[in-house]
Amino acid sequence: MTRPKVLVVFGTRPEVIKLAPVLPALRKAGLRVSTCATAQHRALLDSALEAFGLRPDRDLDMMRAGQAPEEVIARVLRAFPRVLEKERPDMVLVQGDTTTAFAAALCSYLRRIPAAHIEAGLRSFDFSNPYPEELNRVKIDHIADIRFAPTRLAKANLSREGIREGVFVTGNTIVDALQWAQSRPAKAPRILKEIPPAARVILATLHRRESFGKPLARMLGALKTLAGRRKDALIVFPVHPNPNVRVAARSLRRSRIRAIEPLPYFEFIGLMRRAEFLLTDSGGLQEEAAALRKPVLVAREATERPELLSAGGGRLVGTDPARIVRESCRLLDHRKLYLKMSRARNPFGDGRASRRIAAFLRWHFGLGQKPAEWAG
Ligand code: UDP
């Protein structure tokens, strides 16, 4: 009997980071694994692939300058069926909420190939935040046959939508990736050598599509105000390559702001560890910050990761500049609040999510026992 084959699809940096620990776990579980990159984001995807020493078996290389989500969907719908015909997988595995993941899951459904979804069930309940990812994730959850929910809340969200079968709580694989990264020697990023030892580093990233234009300009304005007001702080801002972010970030020339190129993953973790706190609209960063015990100010109007807020490690500060400045100063000035946030529990996982996913799929394909925690 040939071993079952799983086709793993990714298009962006966070998907690669969150799938990197899953690939060896699947192979160890006795499954054949093939990988397909859509390259929805070329440069960031390649940087993450390089960090983990990965080379996709198939690369659709579909990024075009200024692309809209509907163009990405159209390109995946056109190209991915051919990959399915050539690979003939027993299952397609997608991760997260990207347009790549949605379009690949849809193709699998149309070709009647079962799909599994890692990081299922997260909900902000607002289709404009994050846009278009909230809709992508909901649709993938309804298309997929198997959903790996990172938390109990994610499972409960699915249940409320009537999805009760084929849901398994695993933790988020980003914690696995982070632990893996921390276990290996990593080059310190150059920026760390340039930061004065006494500087209190605020690591900021902003790149969400729903913020492009005025909200992003206002948030960058908040960073400038903060840099002007706080002589003790240094803001490090890795600039996302999206042209909307690049152009807006040109205004960030201030003495206490360092706008830098995105860092390779392992170097970026070094920067996160050096930071006093994070100000971000990134999903993955919120999870990593929780695992590293770094307080996070979430610069979004709605979040699909409320576990971070209830655990106490993060605060939803929105996009209003006055609030961002106020909340940042509070974190810098109130030691008690800072310590409380940095001692919060990590609600996103224990570093064993990939093993759980692999053990489940092994059982699903009749190669092993049902994992004890799901046997009931
Ligand atoms: N990241 C990185 N280098 C950087 C900035 C971020 O490797 O300069 C990593 C970060 O550690 C996290 C992921 O990229 O794992 C987050 O990606 P992004 O913010 O683009 O997407 P989101 O998580 O919001 O979907």
Side-chain angles (χ1 to χ4, degrees):
M1 186 187 108
T2 51
R3 287 176 297 139
K5 184 182 203 180
V6 178
L7 176 62
V8 182
V9 189
F10 40 77
T12 66
R13 170 176 66 187
E15 287 164 273
V16 171
I17 293 170
K18 291 173 171 180
L19 285 166
V22 179
L23 302 175
L26 294 178
R27 293 196 178 99
K28 222 171 138 187
L31 300 167
R32 282 187 300 152
V33 177
S34 227
T35 53
C36 174
T38 64
Q40 180 181 330
H41 291 163
R42 184 78 264 175
L44 295 184
L45 178 85
D46 287 346
S47 166
L49 287 170
E50 197 187 324
F52 289 97
L54 294 171
R55 267 239 329 259
D57 299 308
R58 296 185 185 270
D59 193 328
L60 304 179
D61 195 24
M62 60 177 39
M63 182 174 171
R64 302 289 177 271
Q67 66 193 5
E70 64 272 22
E71 295 170 51
V72 175
I73 294 176
R75 281 197 284 275
V76 175
L77 290 184
R78 214 173 300 123
F80 194 58
R82 278 201 296 281
V83 175
L84 293 175
E85 280 157 22
K86 286 186 182 142
E87 292 287 340
R88 305 179 72 77
D90 298 290
M91 174 168 284
V92 168
L93 184 61
V94 298
Q95 195 284 335
D97 59 6
T98 65
T99 300
T100 285
F102 163 59
L106 183 58
C107 275
S108 311
Y109 163 76
L110 293 171
R111 293 292 170 124
R112 296 191 171 277
I113 298 169
H117 183 205
I118 295 180
E119 209 183 60
L122 278 65
R123 296 287 186 269
S124 69
F125 303 101
D126 176 353
F127 283 141
S128 300
N129 276 295
Y131 167 85
E133 287 83 3
E134 176 76 3
L135 184 79
N136 285 344
R137 199 188 299 270
V138 171
K139 294 294 169 207
I140 301 166
D141 285 336
H142 285 259
I143 291 169
D145 303 84
I146 296 169
R147 301 107 185 145
F148 297 112
T151 64
R152 289 190 178 285
L153 179 65
K155 181 179 173 174
N157 289 339
L158 291 168
S159 173
R160 239 172 275 138
E161 288 170 21
I163 304 176
R164 298 192 183 96
E165 300 294 313
V167 181
F168 303 91
V169 178
T170 58
N172 197 307
T173 58
I174 201 165
V175 182
D176 314 17
L178 187 65
Q179 290 182 0
W180 182 6
Q182 286 186 290
S183 69
R184 8 167 314 153
K187 202 173 102 207
R190 212 182 65 204
I191 179 79
L192 278 190
K193 295 176 197 137
E194 294 165 10
I195 298 174
R200 305 175 71 185
V201 175
I202 302 171
L203 174 56
T205 76
L206 298 167
H207 75 281
R208 300 232 49 89
R209 182 174 289 271
E210 62 271 17
S211 303
F212 290 168
K214 229 178 175 173
L216 179 60
R218 279 160 53 84
M219 288 191 282
L220 295 178
L223 297 186
K224 287 182 264 186
T225 307
L226 202 52
R229 210 175 276 177
R230 300 296 306 217
K231 306 224 174 330
D232 53 344
L234 180 83
I235 298 166
V236 181
F237 186 81
V239 187
H240 194 280
N242 186 293
N244 292 283
V245 184
R246 289 265 139 166
V247 171
R250 280 193 208 136
S251 69
L252 277 182
R253 285 189 201 102
R254 289 287 190 284
S255 58
R256 278 183 292 278
I257 302 183
R258 299 275 189 285
I260 61 170
E261 285 302 317
L263 292 172
Y265 182 56
F266 298 118
E267 294 186 32
F268 186 71
I269 290 169
L271 179 59
M272 262 195 289
R273 291 170 63 127
R274 171 66 178 84
E276 190 153 322
F277 67 88
L278 275 62
L279 170 66
T280 189
D281 59 9
S282 156
L285 253 72
Q286 294 175 52
E287 293 152 348
E288 287 163 341
L292 291 168
R293 303 287 196 271
K294 297 284 177 186
V296 202
L297 300 181
V298 182
R300 287 190 183 191
E301 298 301 343
T303 179
E304 68 278 33
R305 293 174 176 81
E307 296 94 332
L308 176 72
L309 313 182
S310 31
R315 293 169 69 82
L316 190 66
V317 299
T319 57
D320 173 53
R323 173 131 194 241
I324 290 174
V325 172
R326 199 169 58 242
E327 297 270 2
S328 301
C329 290
R330 268 187 78 205
L331 258 183
L332 288 167
D333 290 332
H334 293 277
R335 192 75 198 144
K336 253 192 170 158
L337 170 71
Y338 181 84
L339 288 177
K340 196 168 162 222
M341 286 182 77
S342 51
R343 284 177 190 144
R345 175 182 69 83
N346 168 18
F348 297 119
D350 59 1
R352 299 172 61 85
S354 309
R355 265 172 282 183
R356 289 191 187 99
I357 290 166
F360 173 82
L361 291 180
R362 191 177 152 76
W363 168 76
H364 173 81
F365 285 114
L367 302 175
Q369 299 276 326
K370 189 164 194 181
E373 54 198 302
W374 294 319

